[in-house]
């Protein structure tokens, strides 16, 4: 049984207010049957240092990525994971995490690939929960395994492959959500982050640069709809309703932007190109633009 | 993957990680993250004397001191990482426990593939493990620089 959407005026401004819950809502509903709170962080150990009481952990790398192919887990593995975490297909899943819900949004996006209907983000994430002085525990969460059905992933609606991006060049707007230095090609990895081995720096021609964190306020919550529209509509020039593809380096930061465009601004066909720069920057004969300008699609792009 | 060529105090840690069953390895790393010593006040008050390891996913700072000179000079290691970066703290703590106090030549001789020997790569991801390689690299680099200086 899914939980009712939170009635929260702060969320009413967004296209899909039911995709957000507040820290207060989580505090009141963690024990409800049909509600499972999931923590998903960048740091694989952070959950173990203390988590929202009753929350289970899903790690982006060890749980959601396939260990051999560069791909997400398949339907069988996802069903096994859900069962192991005590999540039923009808449950309301509330995801939260560190760094303005960056990795939480990634987990939510992967849940969406499997068509898990009711998956929400706790606005503000882990940091807001802690800033409010709410309880954390290191107690192990007791889980009753469920019988989660095997559902095959449906990538097409929200996931773009390299071929899709090549085909979309020049017609579908692209959003590059990496840091400005990665966009211009000055560097190929995030400032302060490990080099992940790309051979070319720069961005996909025509992509607009909107670092993902611009969508987050100081306290880690999402910016207001008006502020988001000022960025994505006025500044970037997106038209409500049009198709969009977002990418970053491996698809995690762009999941955050995917969430913003899809659930907060109501774009209906946003895809995350998770191959992102680690694929594009190494691919042979794909066009690359460097510098601050968006760049144009070269005639011989294909 | 023999631990033979490692200094004893480091080899012990590798063995320890190999002996715990898979599900408990993260817990062990967490315990290490908790036991990372605080910076001594003299360094804590002078963050400019610490070097940032930018390859780590989270802010990590380290300092290396040599007591005397020559290959036998004991190495003192200092690490600082925030509580919200337990994995990084855990790596630093392993290096601290495994290397602190050893003669410079022994630290310099630690194989660069050390991080892979803990059996954590699958649990922690190769990307995250790279932070530990970078820490080891910078420790060695600082020792060499101190010896030259």
């Amino acid at each position: 049984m899914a939980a009712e959407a939170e009635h929260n005026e702060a969320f009413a401004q967004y296209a899909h207010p039911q995709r957000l819950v507040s820290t207060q809502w989580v505090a009141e509903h963690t024990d409800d049957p049909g509600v499972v709170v999931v923590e998903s962080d960048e740091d694989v150990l952070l959950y173990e240092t203390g988590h929202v009481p009753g929350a289970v952990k899903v790690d982006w790398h060890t749980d959601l990525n396939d260990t051999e192919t560069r791909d997400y887990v398949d339907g069988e593995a996802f069903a096994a994971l859900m069962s192991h975490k005590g999540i039923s297909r009808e449950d309301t899943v509330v995801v939260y995490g560190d760094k303005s819900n960056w990795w939480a949004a990634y987990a939510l996006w992967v849940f969406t690939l499997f068509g898990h209907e009711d998956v929400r983000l706790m606005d503000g994430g882990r940091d807001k929960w802690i800033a409010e002085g709410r309880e954390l525990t290191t107690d192990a969460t007791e889980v009753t395994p469920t019988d989660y059905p095997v559902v095959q992933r449906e990538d097409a609606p929200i996931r773009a492959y390299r071929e899709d991006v090549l085909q979309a060049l020049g017609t579908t707007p692209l959003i590059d959500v990496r840091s400005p230095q990665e966009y211009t090609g000055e560097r190929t990895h995030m400032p302060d982050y490990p080099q992940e081995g790309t051979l070319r720096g720069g961005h996909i021609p025509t992509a607009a640069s909107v670092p993902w964190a611009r969508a987050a306020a100081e306290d880690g919550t999402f910016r207001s709809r008006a502020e988001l529209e000022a960025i994505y509509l006025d500044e970037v020039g997106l038209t409500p309703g049009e198709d969009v593809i977002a990418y970053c380096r491996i698809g995690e930061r762009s999941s955050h932007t995917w969430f913003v465009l899809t659930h907060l601004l109501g774009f209906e066909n946003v895809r995350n190109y998770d191959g992102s720069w680690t694929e594009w920057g190494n691919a042979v004969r794909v066009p690359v633009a460097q510098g601050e300008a968006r760049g144009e699609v070269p005639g011989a792009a294909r | 993957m023999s631990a033979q060529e490692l200094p004893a105090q480091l080899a012990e840690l590798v063995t320890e990680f190999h002996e715990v069953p898979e599900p408990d390895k993260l817990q062990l790393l967490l315990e290490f993250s908790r036991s990372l010593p605080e910076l001594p006040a003299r360094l804590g008050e002078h963050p400019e004397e610490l070097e940032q390891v930018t390859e780590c996913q989270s802010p990590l700072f380290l300092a290396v001191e040599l007591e005397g000179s020559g290959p036998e000079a004991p190495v003192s290691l200092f690490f600082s990482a925030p509580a919200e970066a337990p994995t990084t703290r855990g790596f630093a703590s392993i290096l601290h426990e495994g290397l602190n106090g050893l003669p410079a030549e022994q630290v310099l001789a630690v194989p660069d593939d050390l991080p892979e020997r803990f059996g954590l790569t699958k649990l922690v991801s190769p990307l995250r493990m790279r932070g530990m390689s970078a820490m080891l690299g910078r420790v060695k680099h600082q020792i060499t620089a101190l010896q030259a200086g």
Side-chain angles (χ1 to χ4, degrees):
Chain A
M1 266 298 286
E4 266 188 50
E6 177 179 2
H7 298 287
N8 186 327
E9 299 222 339
F11 302 148
Q13 56 181 318
Y14 300 122
H16 307 153
Q18 71 277 19
R19 292 293 176 179
L20 287 176
V21 294
S22 63
T23 49
Q24 182 60 33
W25 188 93
V26 170
E28 288 165 6
H29 293 272
T30 31
D31 294 334
D32 290 7
V35 174
V36 181
V37 181
V38 169
E39 175 162 341
S40 209
D41 299 313
E42 174 173 74
D43 192 305
V44 69
L45 272 182
L46 196 51
Y47 169 89
E48 279 80 2
T49 67
H51 53 82
V52 171
V56 295
K57 165 188 173 181
V58 171
D59 184 70
W60 64 276
H61 180 81
T62 56
D63 290 326
L64 299 178
N65 282 1
D66 185 84
T67 50
E68 282 144 32
T69 315
R70 185 177 166 190
D71 199 356
Y72 298 100
V73 291
D74 61 16
E76 283 77 14
F78 187 75
L81 175 70
M82 293 300 97
S83 164
H84 180 63
K85 300 292 174 186
I87 298 171
S88 298
R89 184 74 175 163
E90 306 73 32
D91 281 349
T92 296
V93 173
V94 176
V95 197
Y96 74 96
D98 58 355
K99 309 194 172 181
S100 305
N101 275 332
W102 164 3
W103 302 89
Y106 188 45
L108 180 144
W109 179 77
V110 176
F111 273 65
T112 307
L113 287 175
F114 289 97
H116 191 98
E117 180 98 14
D118 188 0
V119 51
R120 316 176 186 182
L121 281 185
M122 179 176 87
D123 199 23
R126 183 182 165 95
D127 288 346
K128 185 159 192 280
W129 181 273
I130 292 172
E132 291 168 349
R134 295 181 189 274
E135 185 189 356
L136 291 180
T137 181
T138 52
D139 293 348
T141 298
E142 274 185 45
V143 170
T144 311
T146 58
D147 191 13
Y148 198 93
V150 173
V151 180
Q152 293 315 320
R153 248 182 24 229
E154 200 188 340
D155 289 347
I158 62 168
R159 187 181 184 196
Y161 305 136
R162 182 164 64 107
E163 301 73 36
D164 301 328
V165 177
L166 272 172
Q167 211 145 42
L169 270 189
T171 52
T172 303
L174 302 173
I175 307 283
D176 183 317
V177 315
R178 298 171 302 158
S179 63
Q181 297 91 329
E182 291 171 274
Y183 180 83
T184 58
E186 190 185 320
R187 58 166 79 225
T188 51
H189 56 102
M190 278 181 278
D192 305 338
Y193 272 69
Q195 166 62 267
E196 276 177 277
T198 44
L199 294 175
R200 289 290 183 273
H203 56 269
I204 302 176
T206 72
S209 169
V210 187
W212 70 278
R214 289 187 62 194
E218 292 290 308
D219 64 355
T221 57
F222 288 106
R223 293 202 176 279
S224 70
R225 183 160 188 167
E227 289 170 316
L228 295 173
E229 286 177 346
I231 296 172
Y232 295 99
L233 305 188
D234 304 345
E235 187 187 314
V236 174
L238 295 181
T239 310
E242 76 181 331
D243 298 357
V244 186
I245 295 174
Y247 72 93
C248 56
R249 183 186 46 121
I250 56 170
E252 14 66 89
R253 285 173 284 179
S254 41
S255 297
H256 191 273
T257 299
W258 172 87
F259 184 90
V260 168
L261 294 175
T262 302
H263 292 312
L264 305 187
L265 293 182
F267 283 77
E268 280 160 22
N269 185 15
V270 184
R271 284 175 294 168
N272 181 19
Y273 167 42
D274 61 279
S276 278
W277 200 255
T278 50
E279 178 178 49
W280 197 271
N282 285 316
V284 176
R285 300 189 78 230
V286 297
V288 170
Q290 291 183 333
E292 287 171 15
R294 291 184 187 181
E296 286 169 15
V297 184
R302 293 171 209 173
Chain B
M1 284 290 160
S2 88
Q4 279 166 0
E5 64 226 80
L6 300 177
Q9 68 187 60
L10 184 58
E12 259 177 50
L13 302 185
V14 171
T15 310
E16 198 180 343
F17 270 96
H18 277 277
E19 281 175 355
V20 294
E22 194 91 326
D24 298 336
K25 283 193 205 302
L26 279 184
Q27 200 57 38
L28 183 58
L29 185 60
L30 184 66
E31 282 163 27
F32 273 92
S33 81
R34 288 180 177 140
S35 66
L36 179 67
E38 293 282 320
L39 284 180
R42 64 190 162 82
L43 281 176
E45 287 155 13
H46 294 279
E48 72 281 1
E49 290 180 17
L50 300 168
E51 177 183 6
Q52 179 167 13
V53 181
T54 53
E55 295 90 341
C56 288
Q57 290 192 332
S58 309
L60 176 103
F61 295 86
L62 64 84
V64 179
E65 290 176 1
L66 280 184
E67 220 174 289
S69 55
E72 294 296 322
V75 175
S76 295
L77 296 177
F78 305 94
F79 295 97
S80 167
E84 62 269 21
T87 302
T88 301
R89 285 180 64 87
F91 292 164
S93 181
I94 289 172
L95 290 181
H96 187 268
E97 200 168 319
L99 302 176
N100 194 51
L102 290 177
E105 62 177 353
Q106 280 196 33
V107 178
L108 290 176
V110 168
D112 290 332
D113 69 354
L114 174 75
E116 290 153 38
R117 300 189 182 206
F118 289 95
L120 284 167
T121 310
K122 206 175 111 198
L123 285 171
V124 168
S125 92
L127 169 64
R128 288 159 171 163
M129 288 310 295
R130 247 175 267 176
M132 194 199 247
S133 306
M135 282 181 221
L136 179 62
R138 289 189 186 230
V139 165
K140 289 186 181 183
H141 184 260
Q142 280 209 24
I143 293 174
T144 313
L146 287 169
Q147 285 177 329

